[in-house]
Amino acid sequence: MNNQRLLVWIEGTLIAALAMALEYIPHSIGFVDISYGIIPLAVYSLRRGWRAGLGSGLVWGLLDLFLRGFGSGGFLNPLQGFIEYPIAFAAVGIIGIGAAPLQRALKLQQRGWLFGLALGATFLGVLVKYGFHFIAGVIYWGSYAPKGMSPVIYSLAINGGSAILNLILAGIVISVLLVTAPHLFRPKNG
Amino acid sequence: MMNKLLFGRFIPGESFVHHLDPRNKLLMSFYYIGIIFLANNWSTYLCLFLFTLLAVYLSSIKMGFFIRGVRPLIWLILFTVLLQVFFTRGGKVFWSWGPIVLSQYGLVNGVYIFMRFVLIIFMSTLLTLTTPPLSLADAIEAILKPLRVVRFPVYEVALMLSIALRFVPTLMDETEKIMNAQRARGVDFGEGNLFQQMRAVVPLLIPLFVSSFNRAEDLAIAMEARGYQGGEGRSKYRILTWHYRDTFVVLAFIALTGILIWLRA
């Protein structure tokens, strides 16, 4: 294992730990769940690419499952649990598909491109994550809602609100970080 | 705070359940969540209830810890149960108002769904109360090993998980320190509307990112200096051992499945 690859996945490990630590920050907007953990994952994925992002997201998902999910009844159906934790959290790494063009835009100081790419990729990652939560919700409601009731509507109502709030959160925070701390997006030894 | 997070909700002990192999506990917990869907009448739910009660008893952990596990999900449970109670039709109708019907089947289904929730939460709480997260990480590594065939980096993911578990409390302490510094300047976390909450979190993030990236660099250099060459062929500090009691537990779960299939309507 070469030095660069080791550094990339150790960074991913620390980012997964940071994402988990941020989940414990007090936050409440009614019943809707805000996930601060998406922000470090977005920065890391834009810094190191989608493969590294998927790995770090997977570790974040497993951490969340061990430290919160199992103990708080987040795993109520085998397929729902599998999609809700490892898959949905890993999917945030998709943000990394914007990494290569973002690095070019950073080098060339193309501000318009920079924000467009960062926000576009972040929105895609958040949407894919909540897309998986939606599927997990459909499976959950499919096995727990009364017969004849559409599980799609329940899952959409619960996950749709969270997706919108997290899109706004991630979009604003990533934009602020691009202005105030662009060096966070530039990989060291990159 | 650090120790509390490092061990998750783990309560140290010397019980039968504590001494089970974490691979077994993890796999059997998943299996239990699967077979619970076989229950569809009073006798099958009673059978699962007694089995779960025996598992709780064998863990020597107070019932209060398990009941507390239900608390975070109480609203979701109540919502789901009420949906079942008021929107399931069939059997004798006790009361109705428009589309809302209180029927015999609805009440029975409500009780079944409530039991299913409670039993799943009790069993997954049993897993987290009797297994430290690091052992769960070892168990995940063992369970994922077959994925090496498709070149999935099992060792790397397991090591990442172990290192991350080690650093979550450290980063939480750091987050807490920065939050306290911000609070001293008048910032309220978790208060106000979404935009105010977002504004509060930005000054937290930059120092946390910088320190995480610096720690990662130090750790990578330390690992390289100690000759880390990837996962293959590495010896382990914590070795998992399968005992007769683990085989006994697997047989008990197989027997439970057989009984559920036999008793279900």
Side-chain angles (χ1 to χ4, degrees), chain B residues 205-229:
Chain B
L205 289 172
I206 297 172
L208 283 171
F209 273 121
V210 171
S211 103
S212 299
F213 290 141
N214 287 342
R215 266 181 218 278
E217 202 180 347
D218 292 346
L219 190 57
I221 290 169
M223 285 173 77
E224 211 188 2
R226 287 172 177 234
Y228 180 77
Q229 294 289 327

Side-chain angles (χ1 to χ4, degrees), chain B residues 114-133:
Chain B
F114 181 76
M115 288 279 287
R116 195 189 287 174
F117 268 116
V118 171
L119 291 173
I120 289 178
I121 293 170
F122 271 33
M123 205 47 115
S124 45
T125 303
L126 183 70
L127 173 72
T128 52
L129 291 179
T130 60
T131 322

Side-chain angles (χ1 to χ4, degrees), chain A:
Chain A
M1 182 174 278
N2 64 37
N3 177 290
Q4 180 60 18
R5 200 174 146 222
L6 182 64
L7 178 63
V8 169
W9 73 256
I10 292 286
E11 260 184 21
T13 305
L14 270 288
I15 286 296
L18 177 60
M20 194 66 232
L22 291 178
E23 294 292 327
Y24 291 97
I25 292 179
H27 54 276
S28 63
I29 299 283
F31 285 107
V32 183
D33 180 44
I34 305 180
S35 174
Y36 289 127
I38 287 175
I39 299 158
L41 249 295
V43 172
Y44 175 70
S45 302
L46 290 169
R47 179 179 160 103
R48 294 294 188 183
W50 65 272
R51 274 175 208 270
L54 290 182
S56 185
L58 175 67
V59 174
W60 176 33
L62 291 171
L63 283 175
D64 201 70
L65 178 64
F66 291 166
L67 297 176
R68 298 197 312 168
F70 273 135
S72 61
F75 206 114
L76 294 163
N77 172 306
L79 189 58
Q80 167 263 332
F82 180 65
I83 295 174
E84 195 100 73
Y85 289 94
I87 302 285
F89 283 73
V92 183
I94 283 186
I95 294 172
I97 59 167
L102 183 113
Q103 295 305 325
R104 272 196 299 276
L106 261 174
K107 242 179 223 162
L108 301 171
Q109 302 274 321
Q110 297 166 314
R111 283 181 78 86
W113 268 108
L114 198 62
F115 283 95
L117 283 164
L119 293 180
T122 304
F123 285 176
L124 177 71
V126 176
L127 281 179
V128 172
K129 181 178 191 279
Y130 281 92
F132 280 115
H133 286 308
F134 165 73
I135 295 168
V138 171
I139 295 165
Y140 164 79
W141 287 108
S143 54
Y144 285 91
K147 278 182 186 132
M149 285 208 155
S150 167
V152 174
I153 294 167
Y154 290 102
S155 185
L156 197 63
I158 291 187
N159 291 303
S162 297
I164 292 167
L165 270 188
N166 282 296
L167 274 176
I168 298 170
L169 168 78
I172 293 179
V173 176
I174 291 292
S175 305
V176 173
L177 288 176
L178 271 172
V179 174
T180 54
H183 59 277
L184 294 177
F185 295 85
R186 273 190 216 110
K188 209 167 187 181
N189 312 328

Side-chain angles (χ1 to χ4, degrees), chain B residues 38 40-41 43-45 47 257-265:
Chain B
L38 288 174
N40 64 354
N41 58 26
S43 48
T44 43
Y45 274 105
C47 183
T257 313
I259 293 168
L260 289 177
I261 292 169
W262 180 55
L263 288 176
R264 75 194 301 259

Side-chain angles (χ1 to χ4, degrees), chain B residues 3-261:
Chain B
N3 283 338
K4 200 178 156 204
L5 266 164
L6 189 59
F7 295 107
R9 290 152 48 87
F10 174 63
I11 297 172
E14 294 295 325
S15 73
F16 177 81
V17 183
H18 280 89
H19 285 294
L20 287 174
D21 189 306
R23 291 169 293 186
N24 191 16
K25 279 192 269 188
L26 189 62
L27 282 174
M28 288 304 112
S29 299
F30 291 150
Y31 183 73
Y32 182 86
I33 295 170
I35 61 167
I36 208 161
F37 289 89
L38 288 174
N40 64 354
N41 58 26
W42 292 109
S43 48
T44 43
Y45 274 105
L46 182 68
C47 183
L48 280 168
F49 182 72
L50 292 175
F51 187 87
T52 311
L53 222 54
L54 177 68
V56 169
Y57 172 74
L58 289 174
S59 72
S60 306
I61 292 172
K62 283 180 191 158
M63 199 60 170
F65 285 100
F66 294 89
I67 294 168
R68 255 173 263 161
V70 178
R71 215 181 287 162
L73 275 188
I74 197 70
W75 292 111
L76 181 69
I77 296 173
L78 284 178
F79 180 59
T80 313
V81 168
L82 288 176
L83 272 181
Q84 287 286 346
V85 169
F86 290 114
F87 291 94
T88 305
R89 288 156 194 272
K92 196 176 167 188
V93 175
F94 301 109
W95 175 78
S96 71
W97 185 63
I100 301 168
V101 176
L102 184 62
S103 70
Q104 187 188 347
Y105 283 7
L107 281 173
V108 170
N109 268 352
V111 176
Y112 286 170
I113 290 287
F114 181 76
M115 288 279 287
R116 195 189 287 174
F117 268 116
V118 171
L119 291 173
I120 289 178
I121 293 170
F122 271 33
M123 205 47 115
S124 45
T125 303
L126 183 70
L127 173 72
T128 52
L129 291 179
T130 60
T131 322
L134 275 172
S135 299
L136 284 175
D138 292 338
I140 282 279
E141 179 183 353
I143 291 167
L144 292 181
K145 256 182 196 166
L147 290 180
R148 275 185 301 170
V149 178
V150 290
R151 303 186 67 176
F152 182 79
V154 175
Y155 291 116
E156 278 77 10
V157 168
L159 188 62
M160 280 173 89
L161 199 51
S162 304
I163 295 172
L165 279 167
R166 157 69 186 79
F167 277 99
V168 173
T170 310
L171 289 167
M172 272 213 67
D173 276 358
E174 214 161 302
T175 309
E176 190 69 37
K177 270 185 206 159
I178 302 169
M179 279 171 76
N180 285 339
Q182 295 293 334
R183 281 192 184 110
R185 296 183 178 118
V187 176
D188 278 328
F189 292 96
E191 300 286 329
N193 61 33
L194 177 68
F195 292 98
Q196 285 162 332
Q197 290 195 38
M198 273 189 265
R199 210 170 52 193
V201 91
V202 172
L204 260 181
L205 289 172
I206 297 172
L208 283 171
F209 273 121
V210 171
S211 103
S212 299
F213 290 141
N214 287 342
R215 266 181 218 278
E217 202 180 347
D218 292 346
L219 190 57
I221 290 169
M223 285 173 77
E224 211 188 2
R226 287 172 177 234
Y228 180 77
Q229 294 289 327
E232 294 290 340
R234 278 173 60 80
S235 57
K236 295 184 82 61
Y237 178 66
R238 296 177 302 276
I239 296 167
L240 303 178
T241 321
W242 188 272
H243 294 99
Y244 282 120
R245 56 177 169 258
D246 295 296
T247 311
F248 174 76
V249 167
V250 172
L251 292 174
F253 271 92
I254 292 171
L256 175 69
T257 313
I259 293 168
L260 289 177
I261 292 169

